[in-house]
Amino acid sequence: MIPRFYFPGVLPHAGNVVLPPACAHRALKVLRLGSGDSVVLFDGSGGELHARLDVRARLAVAANGQWLEVNREPPLDIVLVQALASGDKMDWVIQKAVELGAIGIVPVQAERSVLRLAGERADKRLEHWRQVVIAACEQCGRNRLPSVAPVQSLTACLVQAPDATRLTLVPDGERLPAIQSVHSPIYLFVGPEGGWSDEELALCLHAGSRVVGLGPRVLRTETAGLAALAALQARVGDF
């Protein structure tokens, strides 16, 4: 696979591009690329620039670039609403959600979340998660960056996108519904390790969410949302 690099700016559709220091370091010091090697740049807005690396002293230049309108986005617009999970589970969930085609991730502070984030700590974690998204896009080939929202309450999330389809995952919920339209977003709500509280489930139902499950087995918080993402995408032909 040709190495891919996220370019934090607006890419030209042809010509030469000087790689920013972080990209140049990864290309030259981590991946050990040299002059003549193929590289792909993308800026998150769609499409990608194919070029050859030209190493000039301390500069790394993507030379003679050719822009290609390559679209690897899935047919469904799914936003993963993930209750905060402990340890490195959030990193893993965000990385895999990007690979599976989520267009956005909304971290929610649930009643039973072990992890608690607020203030400067939440801001730092948000910036880290956005870097996880970039790295996942570099790896999986997506040219549009999924969004990661600031940590928020379930109530705040439920008032967003009033026309969206809302699906709340619980162990004993009904089967995933058939997809009626690929033109409206789907908000997929995944609880923390201890599950949604009764009050939170009531809020979801009041907001029009359907309570759905994923078969007879109880899945972990870091598994449930990803399994639902894959199942929904498969139903509309993404796999």
Side-chain angles (χ1 to χ4, degrees):
M1 183 176 177
I2 300 174
R4 289 167 44 86
F5 301 92
Y6 171 69
F7 184 83
V10 179
L11 277 170
H13 284 200
N16 298 342
V17 179
V18 177
L19 270 61
C23 290
H25 173 81
R26 179 165 165 253
L28 303 180
K29 303 298 184 182
V30 178
L31 299 179
R32 303 294 184 183
L33 300 180
S35 292
D37 287 331
S38 296
V39 293
V40 173
L41 304 182
F42 67 103
D43 60 13
S45 63
E48 57 191 31
L49 188 73
H50 289 239
R52 294 282 182 180
L53 194 63
D54 183 7
V55 181
R56 308 173 183 176
R58 296 185 178 182
L59 292 180
V61 179
N64 302 315
Q66 179 184 8
W67 184 263
L68 299 178
E69 292 290 348
V70 178
N71 179 31
R72 299 187 181 95
E73 295 302 295
L76 286 180
D77 290 341
I78 301 178
V79 176
L80 179 63
V81 181
Q82 175 68 51
L84 290 178
S86 59
D88 59 357
K89 292 176 184 176
M90 287 297 294
D91 286 15
W92 195 86
V93 167
I94 290 170
Q95 180 191 73
K96 302 310 175 187
V98 172
E99 292 179 28
L100 290 169
I103 66 164
I105 297 98
V106 181
V108 163
Q109 187 77 69
E111 290 183 27
R112 295 172 180 166
S113 291
V114 176
L115 178 64
R116 297 284 166 179
L117 292 175
E120 183 179 353
R121 187 167 174 237
D123 293 339
K124 289 182 178 178
R125 193 66 65 90
L126 175 62
E127 179 57 32
H128 169 72
W129 288 333
R130 287 174 174 167
Q131 293 303 312
V132 171
V133 166
I134 290 172
C137 285
E138 289 178 333
Q139 182 273 322
C140 75
R142 292 182 69 177
N143 290 319
R144 293 191 180 276
L145 293 181
S147 62
V148 184
V151 177
Q152 57 196 259
S153 68
L154 178 62
T155 302
C157 182
L158 285 169
V159 300
Q160 299 173 18
D163 297 331
T165 297
R166 292 180 174 82
L167 303 175
T168 301
L169 294 180
V170 297
D172 299 320
E174 62 181 281
R175 293 175 64 87
L176 286 174
I179 305 302
Q180 304 297 328
S181 172
V182 298
H183 302 297
S184 59
I186 296 173
Y187 275 58
L188 190 61
F189 291 78
V190 182
E193 288 93 335
W196 298 114
S197 69
D198 291 342
E199 292 77 10
E200 289 170 329
L201 282 176
L203 285 172
C204 291
L205 290 170
H206 183 72
S209 180
R210 296 179 64 172
V211 176
V212 299
L214 294 167
R217 294 165 299 281
V218 178
L219 303 184
R220 293 178 179 271
T221 183
E222 68 269 27
T223 309
L226 303 178
L229 261 169
L232 291 169
Q233 302 287 27
R235 288 189 175 188
V236 294
D238 191 49
F239 298 154

mmCIF file of all heavy atoms in Angstrom, residues 20-59:
data_model
loop_
_atom_site.group_PDB
_atom_site.id
_atom_site.type_symbol
_atom_site.label_atom_id
_atom_site.label_comp_id
_atom_site.label_asym_id
_atom_site.label_seq_id
_atom_site.Cartn_x
_atom_site.Cartn_y
_atom_site.Cartn_z
ATOM 1 N N PRO A 20 4.673 19.111 5.631
ATOM 2 C CA PRO A 20 4.895 19.732 6.946
ATOM 3 C C PRO A 20 5.886 18.901 7.758
ATOM 4 O O PRO A 20 6.091 17.706 7.475
ATOM 5 C CB PRO A 20 3.505 19.717 7.585
ATOM 6 C CG PRO A 20 2.543 19.499 6.482
ATOM 7 C CD PRO A 20 3.270 18.730 5.422
ATOM 8 N N PRO A 21 6.519 19.501 8.768
ATOM 9 C CA PRO A 21 7.558 18.794 9.533
ATOM 10 C C PRO A 21 7.110 17.434 10.073
ATOM 11 O O PRO A 21 7.883 16.466 10.016
ATOM 12 C CB PRO A 21 7.878 19.771 10.664
ATOM 13 C CG PRO A 21 7.580 21.113 10.077
ATOM 14 C CD PRO A 21 6.406 20.921 9.176
ATOM 15 N N ALA A 22 5.901 17.338 10.608
ATOM 16 C CA ALA A 22 5.449 16.063 11.173
ATOM 17 C C ALA A 22 5.333 14.993 10.092
ATOM 18 O O ALA A 22 5.736 13.841 10.291
ATOM 19 C CB ALA A 22 4.112 16.242 11.884
ATOM 20 N N CYS A 23 4.801 15.377 8.931
ATOM 21 C CA CYS A 23 4.687 14.430 7.818
ATOM 22 C C CYS A 23 6.064 14.033 7.300
ATOM 23 O O CYS A 23 6.314 12.856 6.998
ATOM 24 C CB CYS A 23 3.869 15.050 6.683
ATOM 25 S SG CYS A 23 2.120 15.256 7.040
ATOM 26 N N ALA A 24 6.952 15.023 7.183
ATOM 27 C CA ALA A 24 8.295 14.742 6.687
ATOM 28 C C ALA A 24 9.044 13.803 7.635
ATOM 29 O O ALA A 24 9.736 12.881 7.196
ATOM 30 C CB ALA A 24 9.065 16.044 6.517
ATOM 31 N N HIS A 25 8.888 14.024 8.927
ATOM 32 C CA HIS A 25 9.552 13.148 9.904
ATOM 33 C C HIS A 25 9.042 11.718 9.766
ATOM 34 O O HIS A 25 9.831 10.761 9.767
ATOM 35 C CB HIS A 25 9.300 13.661 11.317
ATOM 36 C CG HIS A 25 9.811 12.741 12.389
ATOM 37 N ND1 HIS A 25 11.132 12.708 12.772
ATOM 38 C CD2 HIS A 25 9.167 11.787 13.132
ATOM 39 C CE1 HIS A 25 11.288 11.794 13.706
ATOM 40 N NE2 HIS A 25 10.126 11.222 13.941
ATOM 41 N N ARG A 26 7.728 11.570 9.649
ATOM 42 C CA ARG A 26 7.170 10.215 9.530
ATOM 43 C C ARG A 26 7.629 9.549 8.232
ATOM 44 O O ARG A 26 7.952 8.363 8.216
ATOM 45 C CB ARG A 26 5.646 10.281 9.590
ATOM 46 C CG ARG A 26 4.970 8.924 9.452
ATOM 47 C CD ARG A 26 3.529 8.957 9.877
ATOM 48 N NE ARG A 26 2.853 7.755 9.407
ATOM 49 C CZ ARG A 26 1.985 7.713 8.419
ATOM 50 N NH1 ARG A 26 1.651 8.822 7.792
ATOM 51 N NH2 ARG A 26 1.423 6.582 8.047
ATOM 52 N N ALA A 27 7.657 10.333 7.154
ATOM 53 C CA ALA A 27 8.050 9.770 5.861
ATOM 54 C C ALA A 27 9.512 9.360 5.847
ATOM 55 O O ALA A 27 9.862 8.263 5.394
ATOM 56 C CB ALA A 27 7.772 10.772 4.747
ATOM 57 N N LEU A 28 10.377 10.226 6.358
ATOM 58 C CA LEU A 28 11.824 9.994 6.228
ATOM 59 C C LEU A 28 12.409 9.178 7.375
ATOM 60 O O LEU A 28 13.270 8.325 7.140
ATOM 61 C CB LEU A 28 12.536 11.343 6.128
ATOM 62 C CG LEU A 28 12.083 12.276 4.987
ATOM 63 C CD1 LEU A 28 12.888 13.566 5.018
ATOM 64 C CD2 LEU A 28 12.213 11.584 3.646
ATOM 65 N N LYS A 29 11.954 9.437 8.598
ATOM 66 C CA LYS A 29 12.576 8.807 9.764
ATOM 67 C C LYS A 29 11.855 7.535 10.215
ATOM 68 O O LYS A 29 12.502 6.600 10.691
ATOM 69 C CB LYS A 29 12.623 9.806 10.936
ATOM 70 C CG LYS A 29 13.360 11.095 10.619
ATOM 71 C CD LYS A 29 14.835 10.842 10.278
ATOM 72 C CE LYS A 29 15.573 12.153 10.056
ATOM 73 N NZ LYS A 29 16.992 11.929 9.675
ATOM 74 N N VAL A 30 10.508 7.533 10.071
ATOM 75 C CA VAL A 30 9.745 6.377 10.541
ATOM 76 C C VAL A 30 9.595 5.336 9.435
ATOM 77 O O VAL A 30 9.906 4.156 9.617
ATOM 78 C CB VAL A 30 8.365 6.815 11.070
ATOM 79 C CG1 VAL A 30 7.554 5.601 11.522
ATOM 80 C CG2 VAL A 30 8.522 7.804 12.223
ATOM 81 N N LEU A 31 9.117 5.793 8.261
ATOM 82 C CA LEU A 31 8.889 4.868 7.152
ATOM 83 C C LEU A 31 10.117 4.663 6.281
ATOM 84 O O LEU A 31 10.117 3.797 5.401
ATOM 85 C CB LEU A 31 7.717 5.369 6.300
ATOM 86 C CG LEU A 31 6.377 5.481 7.019
ATOM 87 C CD1 LEU A 31 5.299 6.006 6.069
ATOM 88 C CD2 LEU A 31 5.964 4.132 7.606
ATOM 89 N N ARG A 32 11.140 5.486 6.480
ATOM 90 C CA ARG A 32 12.401 5.367 5.741
ATOM 91 C C ARG A 32 12.194 5.498 4.231
ATOM 92 O O ARG A 32 12.813 4.781 3.434
ATOM 93 C CB ARG A 32 13.088 4.029 6.044
ATOM 94 C CG ARG A 32 13.383 3.788 7.517
ATOM 95 C CD ARG A 32 14.409 4.771 8.036
ATOM 96 N NE ARG A 32 14.749 4.483 9.428
ATOM 97 C CZ ARG A 32 15.582 5.213 10.163
ATOM 98 N NH1 ARG A 32 16.151 6.286 9.615
ATOM 99 N NH2 ARG A 32 15.826 4.914 11.414
ATOM 100 N N LEU A 33 11.329 6.423 3.836
ATOM 101 C CA LEU A 33 11.111 6.655 2.409
ATOM 102 C C LEU A 33 12.237 7.524 1.861
ATOM 103 O O LEU A 33 12.904 8.262 2.590
ATOM 104 C CB LEU A 33 9.763 7.350 2.185
ATOM 105 C CG LEU A 33 8.522 6.595 2.683
ATOM 106 C CD1 LEU A 33 7.270 7.405 2.381
ATOM 107 C CD2 LEU A 33 8.430 5.212 2.052
ATOM 108 N N GLY A 34 12.422 7.440 0.557
ATOM 109 C CA GLY A 34 13.438 8.248 -0.100
ATOM 110 C C GLY A 34 12.940 8.810 -1.412
ATOM 111 O O GLY A 34 11.783 8.573 -1.818
ATOM 112 N N SER A 35 13.783 9.569 -2.078
ATOM 113 C CA SER A 35 13.413 10.177 -3.357
ATOM 114 C C SER A 35 12.951 9.105 -4.341
ATOM 115 O O SER A 35 13.577 8.051 -4.476
ATOM 116 C CB SER A 35 14.600 10.944 -3.944
ATOM 117 O OG SER A 35 14.898 12.083 -3.165
ATOM 118 N N GLY A 36 11.845 9.409 -5.014
ATOM 119 C CA GLY A 36 11.291 8.492 -5.991
ATOM 120 C C GLY A 36 10.184 7.602 -5.467
ATOM 121 O O GLY A 36 9.451 6.987 -6.255
ATOM 122 N N ASP A 37 10.059 7.504 -4.144
ATOM 123 C CA ASP A 37 8.993 6.674 -3.588
ATOM 124 C C ASP A 37 7.630 7.347 -3.778
ATOM 125 O O ASP A 37 7.505 8.576 -3.717
ATOM 126 C CB ASP A 37 9.217 6.428 -2.090
ATOM 127 C CG ASP A 37 10.357 5.453 -1.837
ATOM 128 O OD1 ASP A 37 10.597 4.591 -2.698
ATOM 129 O OD2 ASP A 37 11.008 5.557 -0.774
ATOM 130 N N SER A 38 6.612 6.539 -3.978
ATOM 131 C CA SER A 38 5.255 7.050 -4.168
ATOM 132 C C SER A 38 4.636 7.420 -2.825
ATOM 133 O O SER A 38 4.821 6.717 -1.817
ATOM 134 C CB SER A 38 4.375 5.998 -4.852
ATOM 135 O OG SER A 38 4.851 5.711 -6.150
ATOM 136 N N VAL A 39 3.891 8.517 -2.815
ATOM 137 C CA VAL A 39 3.151 8.939 -1.623
ATOM 138 C C VAL A 39 1.778 9.446 -2.058
ATOM 139 O O VAL A 39 1.572 9.827 -3.211
ATOM 140 C CB VAL A 39 3.878 10.054 -0.839
ATOM 141 C CG1 VAL A 39 5.171 9.538 -0.228
ATOM 142 C CG2 VAL A 39 4.154 11.262 -1.727
ATOM 143 N N VAL A 40 0.849 9.436 -1.117
ATOM 144 C CA VAL A 40 -0.490 9.987 -1.333
ATOM 145 C C VAL A 40 -0.758 10.989 -0.220
ATOM 146 O O VAL A 40 -0.533 10.699 0.961
ATOM 147 C CB VAL A 40 -1.562 8.881 -1.330
ATOM 148 C CG1 VAL A 40 -2.964 9.492 -1.375
ATOM 149 C CG2 VAL A 40 -1.359 7.935 -2.498
ATOM 150 N N LEU A 41 -1.237 12.165 -0.594
ATOM 151 C CA LEU A 41 -1.631 13.183 0.374
ATOM 152 C C LEU A 41 -3.133 13.415 0.284
ATOM 153 O O LEU A 41 -3.721 13.333 -0.798
ATOM 154 C CB LEU A 41 -0.907 14.507 0.108
ATOM 155 C CG LEU A 41 0.625 14.512 0.060
ATOM 156 C CD1 LEU A 41 1.124 15.942 -0.159
ATOM 157 C CD2 LEU A 41 1.220 13.921 1.312
ATOM 158 N N PHE A 42 -3.760 13.710 1.428
ATOM 159 C CA PHE A 42 -5.164 14.106 1.435
ATOM 160 C C PHE A 42 -5.360 15.156 2.518
ATOM 161 O O PHE A 42 -4.628 15.193 3.504
ATOM 162 C CB PHE A 42 -6.076 12.898 1.665
ATOM 163 C CG PHE A 42 -5.963 12.275 3.037
ATOM 164 C CD1 PHE A 42 -6.932 12.508 3.999
ATOM 165 C CD2 PHE A 42 -4.886 11.463 3.374
ATOM 166 C CE1 PHE A 42 -6.831 11.951 5.268
ATOM 167 C CE2 PHE A 42 -4.780 10.891 4.635
ATOM 168 C CZ PHE A 42 -5.758 11.139 5.591
ATOM 169 N N ASP A 43 -6.347 16.028 2.306
ATOM 170 C CA ASP A 43 -6.562 17.112 3.265
ATOM 171 C C ASP A 43 -7.883 16.995 4.022
ATOM 172 O O ASP A 43 -8.269 17.921 4.741
ATOM 173 C CB ASP A 43 -6.464 18.481 2.574
ATOM 174 C CG ASP A 43 -7.493 18.663 1.464
ATOM 175 O OD1 ASP A 43 -8.439 17.846 1.375
ATOM 176 O OD2 ASP A 43 -7.346 19.623 0.673
ATOM 177 N N GLY A 44 -8.574 15.875 3.862
ATOM 178 C CA GLY A 44 -9.806 15.644 4.610
ATOM 179 C C GLY A 44 -11.067 16.127 3.948
ATOM 180 O O GLY A 44 -12.163 15.892 4.450
ATOM 181 N N SER A 45 -10.941 16.785 2.810
ATOM 182 C CA SER A 45 -12.120 17.345 2.139
ATOM 183 C C SER A 45 -12.627 16.442 1.024
ATOM 184 O O SER A 45 -13.644 16.748 0.392
ATOM 185 C CB SER A 45 -11.791 18.730 1.575
ATOM 186 O OG SER A 45 -10.773 18.644 0.594
ATOM 187 N N GLY A 46 -11.925 15.339 0.748
ATOM 188 C CA GLY A 46 -12.290 14.440 -0.342
ATOM 189 C C GLY A 46 -11.237 14.490 -1.438
ATOM 190 O O GLY A 46 -10.664 15.548 -1.729
ATOM 191 N N GLY A 47 -10.975 13.350 -2.047
ATOM 192 C CA GLY A 47 -9.944 13.281 -3.072
ATOM 193 C C GLY A 47 -8.559 13.142 -2.470
ATOM 194 O O GLY A 47 -8.350 13.303 -1.256
ATOM 195 N N GLU A 48 -7.580 12.859 -3.340
ATOM 196 C CA GLU A 48 -6.216 12.641 -2.864
ATOM 197 C C GLU A 48 -5.214 13.003 -3.947
ATOM 198 O O GLU A 48 -5.509 12.938 -5.145
ATOM 199 C CB GLU A 48 -6.035 11.177 -2.431
ATOM 200 C CG GLU A 48 -6.348 10.157 -3.500
ATOM 201 C CD GLU A 48 -6.425 8.726 -2.974
ATOM 202 O OE1 GLU A 48 -6.810 8.536 -1.805
ATOM 203 O OE2 GLU A 48 -6.115 7.805 -3.750
ATOM 204 N N LEU A 49 -4.023 13.379 -3.520
ATOM 205 C CA LEU A 49 -2.954 13.791 -4.414
ATOM 206 C C LEU A 49 -1.906 12.685 -4.477
ATOM 207 O O LEU A 49 -1.308 12.327 -3.455
ATOM 208 C CB LEU A 49 -2.319 15.092 -3.919
ATOM 209 C CG LEU A 49 -1.310 15.754 -4.866
ATOM 210 C CD1 LEU A 49 -2.040 16.383 -6.055
ATOM 211 C CD2 LEU A 49 -0.497 16.808 -4.126
ATOM 212 N N HIS A 50 -1.679 12.138 -5.674
ATOM 213 C CA HIS A 50 -0.654 11.116 -5.877
ATOM 214 C C HIS A 50 0.615 11.791 -6.382
ATOM 215 O O HIS A 50 0.569 12.580 -7.340
ATOM 216 C CB HIS A 50 -1.137 10.076 -6.885
ATOM 217 C CG HIS A 50 -2.223 9.191 -6.346
ATOM 218 N ND1 HIS A 50 -2.101 7.822 -6.276
ATOM 219 C CD2 HIS A 50 -3.443 9.488 -5.842
ATOM 220 C CE1 HIS A 50 -3.201 7.308 -5.751
ATOM 221 N NE2 HIS A 50 -4.042 8.299 -5.485
ATOM 222 N N ALA A 51 1.736 11.467 -5.746
ATOM 223 C CA ALA A 51 2.976 12.163 -6.091
ATOM 224 C C ALA A 51 4.178 11.257 -5.831
ATOM 225 O O ALA A 51 4.046 10.137 -5.328
ATOM 226 C CB ALA A 51 3.095 13.452 -5.282
ATOM 227 N N ARG A 52 5.355 11.765 -6.207
ATOM 228 C CA ARG A 52 6.625 11.108 -5.927
ATOM 229 C C ARG A 52 7.408 11.940 -4.926
ATOM 230 O O ARG A 52 7.433 13.171 -5.017
ATOM 231 C CB ARG A 52 7.454 10.953 -7.207
ATOM 232 C CG ARG A 52 6.855 10.022 -8.231
ATOM 233 C CD ARG A 52 7.079 8.572 -7.872
ATOM 234 N NE ARG A 52 6.542 7.667 -8.891
ATOM 235 C CZ ARG A 52 6.614 6.340 -8.819
ATOM 236 N NH1 ARG A 52 7.220 5.778 -7.784
ATOM 237 N NH2 ARG A 52 6.089 5.590 -9.761
ATOM 238 N N LEU A 53 8.023 11.274 -3.984
ATOM 239 C CA LEU A 53 8.770 11.984 -2.963
ATOM 240 C C LEU A 53 10.093 12.487 -3.522
ATOM 241 O O LEU A 53 10.802 11.769 -4.228
ATOM 242 C CB LEU A 53 9.024 11.053 -1.775
ATOM 243 C CG LEU A 53 9.503 11.715 -0.484
ATOM 244 C CD1 LEU A 53 8.455 12.678 0.052
ATOM 245 C CD2 LEU A 53 9.798 10.633 0.564
ATOM 246 N N ASP A 54 10.405 13.734 -3.227
ATOM 247 C CA ASP A 54 11.676 14.339 -3.624
ATOM 248 C C ASP A 54 12.317 14.909 -2.368
ATOM 249 O O ASP A 54 11.810 15.876 -1.791
ATOM 250 C CB ASP A 54 11.418 15.439 -4.662
ATOM 251 C CG ASP A 54 12.713 16.054 -5.178
ATOM 252 O OD1 ASP A 54 13.798 15.549 -4.831
ATOM 253 O OD2 ASP A 54 12.631 17.049 -5.924
ATOM 254 N N VAL A 55 13.413 14.297 -1.916
ATOM 255 C CA VAL A 55 14.073 14.728 -0.686
ATOM 256 C C VAL A 55 15.152 15.736 -1.043
ATOM 257 O O VAL A 55 16.092 15.429 -1.779
ATOM 258 C CB VAL A 55 14.681 13.521 0.064
ATOM 259 C CG1 VAL A 55 15.350 13.989 1.353
ATOM 260 C CG2 VAL A 55 13.604 12.487 0.364
ATOM 261 N N ARG A 56 14.996 16.943 -0.494
ATOM 262 C CA ARG A 56 15.919 18.035 -0.786
ATOM 263 C C ARG A 56 16.473 18.554 0.535
ATOM 264 O O ARG A 56 15.787 19.287 1.252
ATOM 265 C CB ARG A 56 15.211 19.160 -1.529
ATOM 266 C CG ARG A 56 14.435 18.694 -2.766
ATOM 267 C CD ARG A 56 13.612 19.822 -3.349
ATOM 268 N NE ARG A 56 12.806 19.377 -4.493
ATOM 269 C CZ ARG A 56 11.931 20.162 -5.139
ATOM 270 N NH1 ARG A 56 11.767 21.442 -4.748
ATOM 271 N NH2 ARG A 56 11.226 19.685 -6.161
ATOM 272 N N ALA A 57 17.703 18.177 0.843
ATOM 273 C CA ALA A 57 18.317 18.564 2.119
ATOM 274 C C ALA A 57 17.384 18.143 3.250
ATOM 275 O O ALA A 57 17.120 16.968 3.429
ATOM 276 C CB ALA A 57 18.594 20.063 2.137
ATOM 277 N N ARG A 58 16.849 19.106 3.990
ATOM 278 C CA ARG A 58 15.961 18.759 5.098
ATOM 279 C C ARG A 58 14.484 18.799 4.706
ATOM 280 O O ARG A 58 13.616 18.593 5.563
ATOM 281 C CB ARG A 58 16.199 19.711 6.268
ATOM 282 C CG ARG A 58 17.595 19.599 6.880
ATOM 283 C CD ARG A 58 17.714 20.482 8.098
ATOM 284 N NE ARG A 58 19.035 20.347 8.734
ATOM 285 C CZ ARG A 58 19.391 20.989 9.842
ATOM 286 N NH1 ARG A 58 18.529 21.805 10.437
ATOM 287 N NH2 ARG A 58 20.585 20.813 10.349
ATOM 288 N N LEU A 59 14.195 19.060 3.448
ATOM 289 C CA LEU A 59 12.811 19.146 2.992
ATOM 290 C C LEU A 59 12.380 17.852 2.317
ATOM 291 O O LEU A 59 13.170 17.196 1.638
ATOM 292 C CB LEU A 59 12.634 20.310 2.017
ATOM 293 C CG LEU A 59 12.779 21.726 2.560
ATOM 294 C CD1 LEU A 59 12.568 22.728 1.427
ATOM 295 C CD2 LEU A 59 11.797 21.982 3.684
#
